[in-house]
Amino acid sequence: MQGFDKNTPRESFGSQIGVIAAAAGSAVGLGNIWRFPYVAGENGGGAFLLTYLAFVLLIGVPAMLSEFVVGRKAQRNPVGAFRRLAPGSAWPAVGFIGVAAAFTILAFYTTVAGWTLEYLYLTIFDKLDHLQKKDLENTFTTFVASGWRPVMWQVVFMLLTGFIVFKGVKNGIERSTKIMMPLLLLIIIALGIRSLTLPGAAEGLKFLFRPDFSKINAGVMLQALGQAFFSLSIGMGTLITYGSYIRKSENLGKTAISVSLADTAIAILAGLAIFPAVFAFKITPEAGPSLVFITLPMIFDQMAGGVIFELVFFILLAIAALTSTISVLEVAVAYFGEELAMGRKKATILSTVAITVLGIFTTLSMGPMPELSIAGLSLFDLLDKTSANVLLPLGGLCIVLFVGWKLRPEEVVSEINNAGTLKARLAPLFMFIVKFLAPVAIALVFLNGLGLFGFFGGGDL
Ligand code: PFF
């Protein structure tokens, strides 16, 4: 099959490990280490975790597999994939929403990714040492609102992302994630052990694992679903794009399960690294988005050997973010490169520049340009909330509906069992889920969470 560049064949991942490293790299990101702990903290800890796990298993894994099926079958970017599999229909719109979501997600995601670089810098130059809580809060809020500095780090981060994507699927994405993912795993395990061995850590475990079902309402359920989609990178065509680079001999079902389990394990490990430490130092966990930038430095400061752990933690965050940003950028690059026939290099430059510009405005909305806000939400909050809680669930809903109802079941099953060469015993269960369970569950949680039905009191986004 012809690639983005006229005279080369379409690229693919070179090995099973490469596929898993790349897809888990996309899934494991700020969503696991920065977002999951604070969203869980704000929504009741253990009860949230259980709801989240149920969504990952029942909806997340099948939705991920659906994206792989669409991508690999079509061998195309998200827009081209729907065009090829459902010519002359409105389905390519789902792909377009995905490409648009790539822009909105990267715009705020690289803001936060940039913060991790600033905190790496602050740690290396000892600038977080012996600061009181008030000073740490000050450091964070002043920095975030300061304009040029967060913008500078954001641009650096986008350039790093662009550089890897520029080098292509095998030499850029696969090669870099194969190095970064094992490193990430090592770091998070080390941090988890450190946190769990602190005196008083047990309280944190209780908070994370003891469910209090009275905390669950429609709003919490939507947050859990949004977080599951965000964390697994589902709903905007990232996994359609990566799926299109998976060779016909790989087992898609196994890949979806491995990647989802790895992502969930890392979210729990992040919880284990953060909450025991938070409770050991008697801090309230509902700290919101600033949890890792204010609370953690405070803890590291009081911990024996804290600077080392702090350094390693921010390296972890930066790596996790980078393996995700490349997957999002690849959606835009695959679209421009393939559909508009510009080739990878031009498409990478164009998308990187365009997203950087949007990103800069997002960062500025948190400080120098407060007028960039709608309905009281800054551009940053707006993009964060609408991407996770609106765009991704809607995208995910369309994708499972497409696989459940638009493609013929034989075609879907043949893609899952590699034209009859694999057993794929769970294929009938998968078909049932994508036809009925997942669409109904996503639609209910979505509408409820938005408060349209008013059941259980509706819910805030
Ligand atoms: N899954 C990433 C994370 O958890 O940080 C974020 C993300 C990547 C969301 C790719 C959506 C996406 F398509």
Side-chain angles (χ1 to χ4, degrees):
M1 180 143 324
Q2 186 201 304
F4 301 179
D5 304 289
K6 271 185 222 86
N7 304 318
T8 48
R10 199 164 195 284
E11 290 186 273
S12 65
F13 292 121
S15 64
Q16 158 114 54
I17 280 293
V19 172
I20 295 194
S26 170
V28 175
L30 295 173
N32 304 60
I33 301 159
W34 165 71
R35 204 171 189 281
F36 175 79
Y38 88 74
V39 177
E42 283 173 346
N43 290 289
F48 178 86
L49 180 64
L50 270 187
T51 319
Y52 176 79
L53 287 179
F55 283 147
V56 166
L57 283 179
L58 282 179
I59 304 174
V61 176
M64 182 179 285
L65 179 53
S66 301
E67 289 209 22
F68 284 156
V69 164
V70 170
R72 191 174 71 172
K73 188 166 171 48
Q75 295 287 298
R76 276 282 171 279
N77 64 86
V79 175
F82 285 106
R83 241 185 222 146
R84 180 166 280 187
L85 299 179
S89 71
W91 283 103
V94 179
F96 276 117
I97 296 176
V99 176
F103 279 72
T104 57
I105 288 191
L106 270 186
F108 81 86
Y109 202 89
T110 52
T111 305
V112 183
W115 299 348
T116 68
L117 297 183
E118 167 79 3
Y119 272 69
L120 253 179
Y121 160 85
L122 292 175
T123 309
I124 291 170
F125 291 95
D126 282 342
K127 301 210 187 286
L128 297 171
D129 269 6
H130 308 308
L131 293 185
Q132 299 301 311
K133 180 162 190 251
K134 222 172 44 316
D135 302 322
L136 281 167
E137 275 167 8
N138 237 333
T139 306
F140 180 69
T141 39
T142 319
F143 160 67
V144 162
S146 67
W148 79 268
R149 216 178 151 83
V151 163
M152 169 188 84
W153 288 124
Q154 176 175 42
V155 172
V156 169
F157 209 92
M158 268 313 289
L159 288 178
L160 277 173
T161 308
F163 176 72
I164 295 175
V165 171
F166 190 83
K167 292 174 77 173
V169 176
K170 225 183 242 148
N171 294 331
I173 298 173
E174 183 171 351
R175 190 183 280 173
S176 64
T177 49
K178 259 166 58 183
I179 300 170
M180 289 193 274
M181 291 311 286
L183 193 63
L184 181 148
L185 189 65
L186 223 85
I187 295 178
I188 197 141
I189 291 177
L191 286 170
I193 293 176
R194 178 70 197 113
S195 173
L196 284 170
T197 48
L198 289 169
E203 275 309 303
L205 290 180
K206 274 193 210 146
F207 175 77
L208 190 60
F209 293 118
R210 191 201 280 151
D212 170 3
F213 289 104
S214 68
K215 292 252 165 69
I216 299 203
N217 59 27
V220 172
M221 286 183 74
L222 178 61
Q223 298 265 11
L225 184 75
Q227 175 62 24
F229 276 76
F230 187 84
S231 190
L232 295 171
S233 302
I234 292 167
M236 52 160 285
T238 302
L239 300 172
I240 294 183
T241 312
Y242 273 13
S244 75
Y245 306 134
I246 300 180
R247 292 177 305 193
K248 291 284 182 193
S249 54
E250 306 297 354
N251 185 332
L252 293 183
K254 245 197 198 151
T255 308
I257 292 175
S258 318
V259 171
S260 304
L261 289 183
D263 184 69
T264 309
I266 300 237
I268 294 177
L269 274 171
L272 287 178
I274 291 174
F275 289 120
V278 165
F279 278 87
F281 289 96
K282 306 203 169 18
I283 295 164
T284 19
E286 296 101 11
S290 56
L291 182 65
V292 306
F293 295 101
I294 295 175
T295 313
L296 288 190
M298 202 154 82
I299 290 166
F300 287 130
D301 200 36
Q302 298 170 37
M303 192 187 264
V307 189
I308 304 287
F309 287 105
E310 185 161 37
L311 184 70
V312 170
F313 177 78
F314 286 114
I315 293 177
L316 165 78
L317 261 186
I319 291 179
L322 187 58
T323 55
S324 298
T325 50
I326 55 181
S327 74
V328 187
L329 183 62
E330 181 64 22
V331 174
V333 169
Y335 168 68
F336 288 123
E338 221 161 31
E339 295 305 299
L340 308 184
M342 336 178 143
R344 170 167 296 275
K345 302 210 152 93
K346 255 198 214 151
T348 309
I349 295 170
L350 177 80
S351 327
T352 305
V353 170
I355 292 170
T356 304
V357 171
L358 183 63
I360 289 175
F361 281 113
T362 313
T363 303
L364 294 179
S365 79
M366 307 193 72
M369 297 176 83
E371 62 278 14
L372 289 176
S373 67
I374 299 170
L377 286 177
S378 65
L379 187 58
F380 176 89
D381 283 330
L382 195 76
L383 294 181
D384 178 0
K385 297 256 191 297
T386 46
S387 311
N389 297 342
V390 181
L391 283 181
L392 299 185
L394 275 183
L397 177 63
C398 294
I399 287 162
V400 290
L401 282 175
F402 183 76
V403 172
W405 295 94
K406 176 73 190 171
L407 293 180
R408 278 182 296 118
E410 316 81 82
E411 294 179 280
V412 176
V413 172
S414 161
E415 199 59 49
I416 293 176
N417 68 17
N418 294 356
T421 56
L422 299 172
K423 279 214 188 78
R425 261 181 262 116
L426 294 179
L429 177 65
F430 168 76
M431 288 310 297
F432 171 78
I433 292 180
V434 290
K435 252 181 158 28
F436 304 106
L437 191 109
V440 171
I442 299 172
L444 275 181
V445 173
F446 185 65
L447 294 175
N448 249 331
L450 290 184
L452 287 190
F453 288 174
F455 291 167
F456 318 117
D460 294 324
L461 265 189

